[in-house]
Amino acid sequence: MSNYIKYPRTHHLPWSPSVSSDDVRTTNTTHFVGRDIIVTEKMDGENTSLYCDHTHARSLDSRNHPSRDWLKRWHSTIAHDIPKGWRVCGENMYAQHSVAYQNLQSYFYGFSLWNAHNDCLSWAETEEWFELLGIYSPPVLYRGVWDEALLREIHIDERLVEGYVVRLADSFAYDEFKQSVAKWVRPNHVQTDQHWMQAEIVPNGLQVAKKETTS
């Protein structure tokens, strides 16, 4: 049995405008009512999981690709600090997809941390671990009690931001994922004719002060 675990599919919120034929939309949000939540910017990268001894994209058998070279080198510098059986999930931001970033803090943004029991740590614990590991997380757009009216009014610049992700502030089990995480994606998110993996790799831009080696 593999010790590596595929990241679950995130369901769209009922008011998310960009839902493709293979996406799933949640029909109600009652499981969020009364709960503390965290809303973060949805980064347009490649879903990636990091362990103490391995990395993979959403597919467990993801093959080598030049866009993953930087991530593998960087992972080797922090892998020894990831507890055995734990995994960091986030976005590999090296290659430009549909959103062209010019001011990233890093080529990896983490959004969740899972322990050896396959539980997603609370956001507070996740932030503590990310600080220890030197991992950046996406900008937080809202933290507080679930308020659907407020979430529906969240304003993002759809030219520069893919969308946002809602998660419970508390910890939750892997089997509770679809009741604990949901997303909103901008209309017509994919704006390229060719899949980014088949196109020429264009690195996203980094903050000058955070310049990281790209080769």
Side-chain angles (χ1 to χ4, degrees):
M1 180 178 177
S2 173
N3 294 320
Y4 309 128
I5 299 172
K6 184 176 182 178
Y7 191 79
R9 174 179 291 188
T10 304
H11 290 193
H12 284 258
L13 289 161
W15 58 91
S16 176
S18 185
V19 181
S20 62
S21 59
D22 61 345
D23 285 330
V24 179
R25 187 192 295 275
T26 188
T27 56
N28 67 73
T29 57
T30 56
H31 44 278
F32 287 117
V33 174
R35 305 292 300 275
D36 284 335
I37 61 167
I38 303 294
V39 181
T40 56
E41 179 180 324
K42 189 176 190 308
M43 309 295 289
D44 187 23
E46 181 179 39
N47 184 286
T48 302
S49 296
L50 312 177
Y51 306 77
C52 65
D53 59 353
H54 186 59
T55 71
H56 63 77
R58 183 180 292 277
S59 173
L60 298 184
D61 59 354
S62 49
R63 64 189 185 280
N64 290 330
H65 189 271
S67 65
R68 298 167 182 157
D69 291 349
W70 176 90
L71 180 98
K72 290 180 178 180
R73 290 194 300 272
W74 172 77
H75 170 253
S76 70
T77 69
I78 67 163
H80 61 282
D81 289 324
I82 301 175
K84 185 176 181 180
W86 289 42
R87 66 189 184 279
V88 176
C89 294
E91 298 284 350
N92 175 5
M93 300 297 299
Y94 183 81
Q96 186 180 121
H97 296 190
S98 289
V99 177
Y101 295 94
Q102 303 299 330
N103 201 34
L104 294 174
Q105 294 176 294
S106 172
Y107 283 133
F108 183 80
Y109 279 73
F111 50 67
S112 64
L113 181 64
W114 300 75
N115 64 23
H117 301 292
N118 209 13
D119 295 323
C120 181
L121 272 60
S122 71
W123 185 251
E125 292 175 299
T126 299
E127 287 187 309
E128 291 177 3
W129 271 97
F130 281 1
E131 184 174 357
L132 290 171
L133 293 168
I135 293 175
Y136 291 97
S137 55
V140 174
L141 306 179
Y142 172 76
R143 63 175 76 209
V145 177
W146 169 265
D147 184 334
E148 183 169 319
L150 185 151
L151 265 61
R152 285 177 177 267
E153 294 301 318
I154 287 179
H155 173 73
I156 62 171
D157 186 340
E158 294 178 7
R159 300 169 303 166
L160 305 174
V161 178
E162 178 183 351
Y164 60 83
V165 178
V166 179
R167 62 153 286 171
L168 294 180
D170 291 335
S171 62
F172 54 87
Y174 185 83
D175 291 343
E176 299 169 336
F177 184 88
K178 68 179 181 179
Q179 290 85 36
S180 306
V181 184
K183 65 184 178 181
W184 181 96
V185 178
R186 67 181 184 174
N188 305 310
H189 166 57
V190 178
Q191 299 179 359
T192 54
D193 295 328
Q194 187 178 26
H195 191 279
W196 66 270
M197 290 191 74
Q198 277 74 56
E200 178 183 356
I201 296 174
V202 178
N204 281 306
L206 291 170
Q207 293 179 9
V208 174
K210 303 290 184 182
K211 198 71 175 178
E212 302 183 45
T213 302
T214 59
S215 61

